């Protein structure tokens, strides 16, 4: 870019331009000729000097603004051009010693009074430093902006950084009830604060990775909350790497071009994640799973994936079933979903539980076994049961892999095994070619004692289950019925406190329960015997019913045949025939279905017997 300028305005403000112009004037032969010809015509053209500035910091627009300042034109300084103007003034040596109220003092005053007092303005200024980083670093501008951002972020309201802020802002924007009976509820104020926080939060994501790392390091030095730092890193990853968030898969403006650069960026972000083991953020798990999914796609280092898996394990109870369904991107894995990854996360989760339980027991806070039986492990148990039901239909899922994942959790993780039974049923239905031995092992992962009555009813009629499992289900279903009957008897006799019967029943119930716990290993033999007894009883009852049906049908046939052979007018002919055949006498009203006639007949016969 060429500029046609006068030398005197430039020389009045810039020492460097003054020196360059003076050197060219003294070294040019035309200058001496010009000094000797004082009587030359005034309209003669002046000799032009050509000055080149190859290492000028900034663009031609920056030099144009600096030249306007030399001409005395009022210029506009903003957070986007203040760094380039400051570097240009430093290059042109526009100091206060050379000229009062010069460009260096103007830009420094704007940096101090306007830029460094606002987080958003500091971010814009920091972004503009990247094109002229070397000279800006020599002037200490990036460090001042980074310190200002970190200091103001630490002193700001922590509610600004609630993640994700997009959902909160949308809720406030969609809320139409700003006023209630003419009274301001504060929703408008909250909306403006959330929008401001969201805007500068997203502006940070447009920085280069080196500058972003320096900001994160400065925030860590000032003990900024780990939740905020984690949200910042995840926000930067979502802006820079496409596909991390399932809701926003479009490539952003500052997306990394190559896969290698994306891998380096992701590994750097994972390395800088806070190492704290607890977090109050309930939605951060979804973003961590997004990072893990992208890490598998980009094939990041094993150490980075381990960091993510351990961080997920610390808050696994906050995850959803959709988060656990991580597809397998490796050709070495045959299954549809990455079951090995979930198995490792579950292993880290159980290790954390045991570590927490050990620490609490050392402190004397809880008794043995209470730490593992807490709420997180119950939530994870329900989550794993749902995950098993989802992956059970995969034809490439090996039986041993299914069994290992099903028995990984402790017994306290499941109050009922209905979810586990559902997963077993889906697996047996999808894998009809498994052997009988594998079928028994798969069915053995569930505890028949922890099935509800509905699940027991379904399992007793399930043809896919092996015979041993069905017998166990029937046996424990009968035990549940017995316990239910005993409980009802205890409830019925609870009002009679003087009677020793409730205590006796309670003692008998306790003794039976203790006896069942002691003989838990012999339940198989007991179930076989119980089943055989039930079958014998059913067979004997069925044979007795058949005999009664045959006798009844025989009697009906005889009566029907007699009615045909005996004339209608003969009174008592058919009765005499029956009396001769069976050796008994019948009254006339014996077959009458009306109750009153039967009663009267009985009374008359009684009277006749009395008179006799």
């Amino acid at each position: 870019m060429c500029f046609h300028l006068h030398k005197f305005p430039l020389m009045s403000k810039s020492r460097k331009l003054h020196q360059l112009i003076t050197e060219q004037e003294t070294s040019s032969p035309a200058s001496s000729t010009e000094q000797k010809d004082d009587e030359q015509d005034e309209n003669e053209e002046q000799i032009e000097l050509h000055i080149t500035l190859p290492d000028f910091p900034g663009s031609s627009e920056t030099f144009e603004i600096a030249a306007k300042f030399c001409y005395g034109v009022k210029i506009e300084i903003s957070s986007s051009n203040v760094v380039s103007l400051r570097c240009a003034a430093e290059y042109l040596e526009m100091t206060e010693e050379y000229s009062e109220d010069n460009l260096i003092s103007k830009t420094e005053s704007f940096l101090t009074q306007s830029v460094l007092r606002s987080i958003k303005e500091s971010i814009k200024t920091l972004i503009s430093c990247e094109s002229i980083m070397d000279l800006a670093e020599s002037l200490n501008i990036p460090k001042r902006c980074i310190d200002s951002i970190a200091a103001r972020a630490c002193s700001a309201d922590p509610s600004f950084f609630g993640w994700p802020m997009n959902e909160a802002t949308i809720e406030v924007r969609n809320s139409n009830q700003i006023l209630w009976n003419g009274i301001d509820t504060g929703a408008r104020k909250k909306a403006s604060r959330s929008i401001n926080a969201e805007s500068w939060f997203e502006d940070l994501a447009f920085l280069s990775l080196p500058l972003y790392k320096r900001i994160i390091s400065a925030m860590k030095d000032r003990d900024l909350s780990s939740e905020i730092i984690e949200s910042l890193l995840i926000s930067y990853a979502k802006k820079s790497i496409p596909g991390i968030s399932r809701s926003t898969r479009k490539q952003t403006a500052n997306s990394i071009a190559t896969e290698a650069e994306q891998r380096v960026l992701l590994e750097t972000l994972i390395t800088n994640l806070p190492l704290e083991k607890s977090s109050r953020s309930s939605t951060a798990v979804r973003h961590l799973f997004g990072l893990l999914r992208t890490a598998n796609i980009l094939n990041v280092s094993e150490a980075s994936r381990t960091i993510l898996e351990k961080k997920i394990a610390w808050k696994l109870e906050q995850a959803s079933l959709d988060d656990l369904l991580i597809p397998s991107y490796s050709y070495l894995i045959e299954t549809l979903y990455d079951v090995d990854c979930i198995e490792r996360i579950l292993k880290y989760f159980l290790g954390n539980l045991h570590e927490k339980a050990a620490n609490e027991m050392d402190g004397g806070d809880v008794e043995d076994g209470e730490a593992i039986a807490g709420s997180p492990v119950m939530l994870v148990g329900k989550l794993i049961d749902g995950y098993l039901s989802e992956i059970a239909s995969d034809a490439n899922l090996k039986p041993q892999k299914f069994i290992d994942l099903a028995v990984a959790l402790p017994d306290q993780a499941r109050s009922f095994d209905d979810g586990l039974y559902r997963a077993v049923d889906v697996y047996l239905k999808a894998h009809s070619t498994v052997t009988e031995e594998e079928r028994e092992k798969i069915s053995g992962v569930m505890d028949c004692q922890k099935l509800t009555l509905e699940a027991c009813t379904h399992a007793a009629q399930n043809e896919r289950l092996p015979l041993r499992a069905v017998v166990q289900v029937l046996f424990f279903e009968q035990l549940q019925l017995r316990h239910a009957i005993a409980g009802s008897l205890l409830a019925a006799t609870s009002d009679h406190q003087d009677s020793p019967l409730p205590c006796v029943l309670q003692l008998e119930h306790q003794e039976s329960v203790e006896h069942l716990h002691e003989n838990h290993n012999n339940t198989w033999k007991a179930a076989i015997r119980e089943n055989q007894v039930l079958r014998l009883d059913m067979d004997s009852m069925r044979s007795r019913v058949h005999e009664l049906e045959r006798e009844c049908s025989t009697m009906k046939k005889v009566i029907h045949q007699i009615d045909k052979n005996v004339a209608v007018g003969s009174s008592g002919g058919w009765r005499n025939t029956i009396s001769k055949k069976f050796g008994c006498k019948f009254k006339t009203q014996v077959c009458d279905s009306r109750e009153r006639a039967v009663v009267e007949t009985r009374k008359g016969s009684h009277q006749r017997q009395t008179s006799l």
Side-chain angles (χ1 to χ4, degrees):
M1 178 68 72
C2 295
F3 292 91
H4 299 276
L5 303 173
H6 301 86
K7 65 177 182 180
F8 292 109
L10 300 179
M11 294 173 67
S12 64
K13 292 292 184 180
S14 171
R15 179 183 283 112
K16 185 177 184 64
L17 291 177
H18 184 276
Q19 292 176 356
L20 293 175
I21 293 172
T22 304
E23 290 176 0
Q24 284 205 12
E25 286 180 345
T26 55
S27 61
S28 175
S31 62
S32 59
T33 305
E34 184 181 355
Q35 292 177 0
K36 292 179 181 179
D37 297 339
D38 295 335
E39 298 178 356
Q40 196 174 11
D41 189 20
E42 295 180 358
N43 295 328
E44 185 179 357
E45 293 183 359
Q46 297 182 359
I47 300 175
E48 294 182 356
L49 302 177
H50 297 277
I51 300 174
T52 59
L53 303 174
D55 54 349
F56 179 79
S59 61
S60 58
E61 289 81 2
T62 303
F63 183 81
E64 182 179 358
I65 296 174
K68 287 181 179 180
F69 178 80
C70 295
Y71 274 85
V73 179
K74 185 178 181 180
I75 62 175
E76 182 179 356
I77 303 178
S78 63
S79 57
S80 301
N81 63 9
V82 64
V83 177
S84 58
L85 287 176
R86 176 65 181 86
C87 294
E90 187 70 21
Y91 175 80
L92 298 175
E93 300 179 9
M94 303 174 71
T95 61
E96 289 294 316
E97 292 79 6
Y98 186 76
S99 176
E100 293 183 358
D101 201 15
N102 215 338
L103 187 57
I104 290 181
S105 62
K106 288 282 186 182
T107 53
E108 283 292 339
S109 176
F110 184 83
L111 279 172
T112 304
Q113 298 179 4
S114 299
V115 173
L116 300 181
R117 292 185 178 183
S118 171
I119 295 181
K120 290 191 62 177
E121 300 300 322
S122 299
I123 294 173
K124 292 180 181 179
T125 303
L126 193 58
I127 293 174
S128 64
C129 292
E130 296 183 0
S131 58
I132 46 176
M133 184 57 68
D134 294 336
L135 187 55
E137 287 286 0
S138 64
L139 299 176
N140 206 24
I141 297 177
K143 185 178 185 305
R144 287 187 287 174
C145 292
I146 290 172
D147 292 341
S148 173
I149 294 171
R152 297 192 178 278
C154 294
S155 61
D157 188 356
S159 62
F160 280 7
F161 306 97
W163 185 266
M165 286 177 292
N166 292 333
E167 287 83 352
T169 307
I170 290 173
E171 289 180 2
V172 175
R173 287 175 179 176
N174 293 338
S175 178
N176 297 324
Q177 297 180 355
I178 301 297
L179 298 178
W180 182 75
N181 289 342
I183 302 175
D184 190 358
T185 60
R188 186 184 295 108
K189 184 177 180 180
K190 181 179 179 181
S192 62
R193 293 173 64 185
S194 300
I195 293 171
N196 292 333
E198 177 190 2
S199 58
W200 79 259
F201 214 83
E202 294 180 350
D203 289 341
L204 276 177
F206 290 95
L207 291 171
S208 63
L209 183 60
L211 285 177
Y212 205 84
K213 289 170 61 178
R214 290 175 61 180
I215 289 180
I216 296 299
S217 177
M219 289 181 176
K220 287 182 178 180
D221 294 340
R222 293 178 177 269
D223 296 331
L224 189 63
S225 173
S226 60
E227 287 81 8
I228 300 176
I229 295 176
E230 185 174 315
S231 300
L232 285 168
L233 292 171
I234 294 175
S235 174
Y236 189 79
K238 290 174 62 178
K239 281 286 186 180
S240 304
I241 303 176
I244 286 184
S245 177
R246 292 185 175 183
S247 59
T248 56
R249 292 188 177 274
K250 294 183 179 181
Q251 191 168 358
T252 53
N254 63 328
S255 297
I256 306 301
T258 64
E259 183 176 336
E261 291 176 343
Q262 292 185 36
R263 185 184 303 110
V264 173
L265 170 61
L266 189 56
E267 290 179 352
T268 305
L269 292 177
I270 293 173
T271 306
N272 285 276
L273 284 175
L275 300 179
E276 282 76 5
K277 297 180 179 180
S278 61
S279 175
R280 290 172 295 177
S281 178
S282 60
T283 57
V285 181
R286 183 175 73 252
H287 300 294
L288 290 176
F289 271 104
L291 291 177
L292 181 59
R293 195 178 296 109
T294 307
N296 292 335
I297 297 175
L298 298 176
N299 195 20
V300 300
S301 62
E302 193 69 27
S304 299
R305 275 183 286 188
T306 303
I307 293 175
L308 279 178
E309 290 172 359
K310 289 184 177 180
K311 285 192 68 63
I312 291 173
W314 274 106
K315 52 184 81 172
L316 183 60
E317 67 275 5
Q318 301 175 7
S320 62
L321 179 58
D322 187 59
D323 296 330
L324 269 63
L325 299 177
I326 302 175
S328 298
Y329 299 103
S330 176
Y331 293 104
L332 301 177
I333 303 176
E334 298 179 354
T335 56
L336 180 62
Y337 297 107
D338 195 349
V339 183
D340 295 333
C341 178
I342 302 301
E343 193 173 0
R344 290 193 300 268
I345 293 175
L346 187 59
K347 179 181 178 181
Y348 296 141
F349 172 78
L350 295 175
N352 297 335
L353 279 182
H354 288 297
E355 181 181 353
K356 182 180 178 181
N359 295 334
E360 291 181 351
M361 283 189 293
D362 292 340
D365 296 334
V366 295
E367 297 179 358
D368 296 342
E370 289 187 1
I372 298 180
S375 175
V377 72
M378 299 286 289
L379 295 174
V380 173
K382 184 178 180 181
L383 189 65
I384 294 299
D385 289 346
Y387 180 74
L388 287 171
S389 299
E390 288 291 331
I391 67 174
S393 58
D394 190 354
N396 295 324
L397 182 63
K398 302 299 181 183
Q400 191 59 42
K401 182 66 66 176
F402 179 85
I403 294 172
D404 293 341
L405 189 59
V407 301
L409 287 171
D411 295 336
Q412 296 86 348
R414 299 180 178 94
S415 299
F416 300 98
D417 279 8
D418 289 12
L420 197 56
Y421 166 68
R422 187 181 302 108
V424 170
D425 186 34
V426 173
Y427 188 88
L428 293 179
K429 183 178 181 181
H431 301 77
S432 58
T433 58
V434 295
T435 62
E436 189 65 26
E437 182 180 358
E438 291 175 341
R439 191 183 298 270
E440 291 184 358
K441 289 182 179 179
I442 294 170
S443 303
V445 300
M446 61 180 181
D447 189 359
C448 297
Q449 289 182 325
K450 298 170 70 174
L451 293 178
T452 60
L453 289 176
E454 293 79 5
C456 288
T457 304
H458 187 277
Q461 303 173 0
N462 195 344
E463 297 179 355
R464 290 182 288 270
L465 292 178
L467 180 60
R468 177 177 297 181
V470 174
V471 172
Q472 287 180 350
V473 169
L474 291 173
F475 175 72
F476 290 115
E477 183 180 11
Q478 187 180 13
L479 288 181
Q480 289 183 9
L481 292 174
R482 289 182 178 180
H483 293 165
I485 293 172
S488 62
L489 291 176
L490 288 174
T493 56
S494 60
D495 297 334
H496 304 282
Q497 298 180 358
D498 298 335
S499 177
L501 183 58
C503 299
V504 174
L505 288 175
Q506 186 174 4
L507 291 175
E508 291 180 355
H509 179 67
Q510 293 178 355
E511 291 176 358
S512 62
V513 172
E514 293 175 359
H515 181 70
L516 288 173
H517 284 294
E518 291 176 358
N519 299 330
H520 180 71
N521 296 328
N522 298 326
T523 53
W524 170 245
K525 296 181 180 179
I528 293 293
R529 291 194 298 270
E530 190 77 13
N531 190 34
Q532 291 176 354
V533 172
L534 290 174
R535 288 183 178 178
L536 291 175
D537 292 340
M538 291 177 65
D539 292 339
S540 62
M541 185 177 294
R542 190 181 297 110
S543 62
R544 291 177 61 188
V545 170
H546 288 168
E547 291 178 359
L548 291 174
E549 288 179 350
R550 284 196 300 270
E551 291 179 0
C552 183
S553 62
T554 303
M555 293 180 66
K556 287 181 178 179
K557 289 179 181 179
V558 171
I559 294 173
H560 184 68
Q561 188 66 28
I562 292 173
D563 288 338
K564 286 183 177 181
N565 296 333
V566 178
V568 180
S570 60
S571 61
W574 63 273
R575 291 192 298 270
N576 296 330
T577 306
I578 295 176
S579 300
K580 294 179 181 179
K581 189 174 185 64
F582 293 99
C584 58
K585 294 183 179 181
F586 296 94
K587 300 298 180 181
T588 305
Q589 293 84 357
V590 72
C591 295
D592 197 346
S593 60
R594 290 177 296 181
E595 183 177 359
R596 181 178 298 177
V598 174
V599 173
E600 291 175 354
T601 305
R602 291 178 180 176
K603 288 182 179 180
S605 61
H606 180 69
Q607 291 175 0
R608 286 195 299 269
Q609 291 176 1
T610 305
S611 62
L612 288 175

